[in-house]
Amino acid sequence: MLVLVINCGSSSLKYQLLEMTTETLMAKGLVERIGNEGSVINHETIGKEKYVLTTPMEDHNAAIGHVMDAITHPEHGAIKELSEIKAVGHRVVHAGEKYANSIIINDDVIAALEECAELAPLHNPPNLAGVRACERLMPGVPNVGVFDTAFHQTMRPEAYLYAIPYEMYEKHRIRKYGFHGTSHKYMAIEAAEMLNIDVNDLKLITCHLGNGASVSAIKHGRSVETSMGFTPLEGLVMGTRCGDLDPSIVTLLAEKLGVGLDKVTDILNKESGVLGISGISSDFRDLEEAMEEGNKRAELALKIFAHRVRFYIGAYIAEMNGVDAIVFTGGIGENDAYMREVICANMGNLGIKLDKEKNKVRGKQTMLSADDSKVKIMLIPANEELVIARETDELVKKA
Ligand code: AMP
């Protein structure tokens, strides 16, 4: 069965076409600058030359039209007819407390997700625009929603509630939701397979370290804690996001800088994190290069990042009364051997020992721990699209 996976951002769209009997990637691509000048689609059918088309695309509807043209292109395409696609899986960021699992989208689901839009104003509207465009352009083909928040719906109230008046939760749904759920779930499934142990018998700490970053504690296959919160701003220090912060700083900053709370939120989301500390870049490659050249603020930014990850690992070991494996993914988790080494350093007493030789690896599913490390350390490259395609395939087959 052929499944198209769509991940719509506000002005971009990533897609993959997969054949699910063998889980083979057939084509993939990226559309950028949707609704802006210079809209462009970069398409690649596996085994064929890449295809780039710059053409006006005023909205997601137009963008998805071009995705469909590229997929069925006589020269560059992967299939002859759109009717070969049996289902579309959509990444949807926020499902609030409504959905703990993926679901086939109908009008009721759309209405429920529209309600969640105020919880994710930047993400849910473009995600839904993608769903609507597919409904229009591929009538009768089922659309499945796979939610970033769903995997973390297993957290208990003591983990997900903030200590503010309870009515804030009841009236405004303010609680920890957690994000990157599809990625954390994929790490758990793959880690269990690599270890050849049932996921229900494992305690895992999964680290998704990219431009956005989060850590999760996964006990017996269920997310019991995660570092992102009501929004993806909480938790780890990130490329440009501050992560955990004393809330008093927000009002103090507004006062000191003479700006509104919107501007402060902007600073915390876009000008903070390792970029804010280093003053040079949000990219760990730039920071490590600068550190090697003696830049102390770049070094400090990297230290603060690692410190926060270690802080969460320690907390999650306490929460689960142990850990069997720590898993790394994301641009940093997959490629940055130096950062993995700093994060895993000096935890021998907890049974965590990285093998420095094995750690000299990038982007490959592999074991990084020393043979005598009680806790396994693993690298599992992210593949959220595959999880979305699997869940879409399963749901549509069952329907
Ligand atoms: P992501 O959001 O998962 O795509 O991760 C992007 C981030 O990964 C970049 O901003 C870099 O900080 C980091 N990254 C990617 N490649 C490398 C590398 N080779 N070494 C260190 N960091 C990397």
Side-chain angles (χ1 to χ4, degrees):
M1 178 163 126
L2 292 194
V3 171
L4 179 64
V5 174
I6 300 265
N7 181 352
C8 281
S10 54
S11 66
S12 70
L13 184 167
K14 281 193 271 184
Y15 63 93
Q16 286 194 1
L17 180 69
L18 293 110
E19 199 292 307
M20 291 313 292
T21 322
T22 51
E23 294 193 340
T24 308
L25 176 65
M26 296 179 68
K28 63 179 178 175
L30 171 68
V31 187
E32 289 175 292
R33 304 185 60 81
I34 301 168
N36 295 315
E37 225 169 273
S39 307
V40 59
I41 174 166
N42 278 276
H43 173 86
E44 183 184 1
T45 293
I46 306 307
K48 291 189 180 177
E49 229 172 80
K50 287 184 187 161
Y51 165 66
V52 181
L53 177 69
T54 305
T55 182
M57 295 181 220
E58 64 175 7
D59 54 21
H60 288 81
N61 209 35
I64 288 185
H66 282 287
V67 169
M68 290 169 179
D69 288 348
I71 288 173
T72 53
H73 192 283
E75 200 181 327
H76 305 285
I79 54 173
K80 282 209 175 89
E81 308 264 344
L82 270 188
S83 59
E84 291 172 50
I85 298 173
K86 298 299 176 212
V88 186
H90 296 263
R91 175 190 181 214
V92 180
V93 169
H94 218 308
E97 294 184 313
K98 185 83 187 172
Y99 302 113
N101 288 299
S102 304
I103 191 161
I104 296 182
I105 298 177
N106 58 25
D107 290 347
D108 292 343
V109 176
I110 293 207
L113 294 175
E114 271 169 352
E115 246 182 63
C116 294
E118 67 169 21
L119 298 173
L122 295 180
H123 294 103
N124 272 28
N127 299 160
L128 287 174
V131 173
R132 286 202 197 90
C134 287
E135 281 180 341
R136 232 172 278 135
L137 297 166
M138 301 170 75
V141 176
N143 290 286
V144 170
V146 180
F147 311 111
D148 272 23
T149 49
F151 184 58
H152 301 302
Q153 279 295 304
T154 47
M155 283 188 291
R156 287 161 298 146
E158 56 266 44
Y160 70 67
L161 282 177
Y162 295 109
I164 56 177
Y166 194 74
E167 304 83 75
M168 306 291 157
Y169 167 57
E170 291 178 312
K171 282 194 194 140
H172 305 297
R173 295 179 289 169
I174 295 175
R175 52 158 285 179
K176 174 180 278 203
Y177 290 100
F179 298 87
H180 289 147
T182 315
S183 175
H184 289 291
K185 183 176 183 177
Y186 180 72
M187 282 189 268
I189 295 168
E190 290 297 310
E193 195 149 297
M194 250 175 106
L195 293 167
N196 202 16
I197 301 175
D198 193 318
V199 75
N200 296 312
D201 295 326
L202 282 172
K203 294 171 184 173
L204 300 167
I205 296 177
T206 49
C207 308
H208 180 114
L209 310 180
N211 214 2
S214 68
V215 197
S216 279
I218 304 175
K219 191 175 182 183
H220 306 158
R222 294 158 71 85
S223 171
V224 293
E225 250 296 1
T226 194
S227 58
M228 281 180 171
F230 178 65
T231 72
L233 184 57
E234 192 182 347
L236 298 180
V237 172
M238 303 178 218
T240 61
R241 287 175 238 166
C242 60
D244 296 334
L245 193 76
D246 181 338
S248 319
I249 295 170
V250 176
T251 39
L252 183 99
L253 271 180
E255 204 182 293
K256 292 273 180 207
L257 303 178
V259 295
L261 290 176
D262 281 0
K263 175 63 187 166
V264 177
T265 307
D266 230 40
I267 293 173
L268 301 180
N269 271 293
K270 298 184 187 151
E271 297 173 28
S272 300
V274 291
L275 169 68
I277 298 161
S278 69
I280 54 171
S281 175
S282 62
D283 192 306
F284 280 49
R285 287 165 287 202
D286 300 339
L287 295 175
E288 282 162 31
E289 208 180 297
M291 177 179 68
E292 274 159 30
E293 287 162 4
N295 185 316
K296 291 292 169 202
R297 291 243 308 268
E299 184 180 350
L300 181 63
L302 293 166
K303 278 186 173 159
I304 295 174
F305 177 87
H307 172 81
R308 187 77 57 86
V309 178
R310 289 166 60 82
F311 187 86
Y312 272 95
I313 289 175
Y316 291 174
I317 291 174
E319 174 59 26
M320 295 192 289
N321 189 18
V323 60
D324 298 305
I326 298 174
V327 189
F328 288 102
T329 203
I332 300 158
E334 290 171 31
N335 297 302
D336 194 340
Y338 167 78
M339 186 43 70
R340 288 193 302 257
E341 189 178 326
V342 178
I343 290 170
C344 296
N346 290 324
M347 294 206 276
N349 270 343
L350 295 171
I352 300 166
K353 266 199 246 170
L354 187 82
D355 182 316
K356 289 186 185 172
E357 277 307 305
K358 287 187 198 162
N359 187 43
K360 288 180 184 160
V361 63
R362 282 181 53 186
K364 193 176 130 210
Q365 186 154 327
T366 187
M367 195 68 78
L368 305 171
S369 41
D371 293 341
D372 62 344
S373 180
K374 192 166 109 338
V375 177
K376 303 292 176 225
I377 306 170
M378 308 162 95
L379 193 172
I380 298 181
N383 197 344
E384 284 154 284
E385 288 80 9
L386 182 58
V387 180
I388 296 173
R390 278 180 186 161
E391 304 208 347
T392 302
D393 183 50
E394 268 167 40
L395 274 175
V396 170
K397 274 186 186 150
K398 265 194 252 157

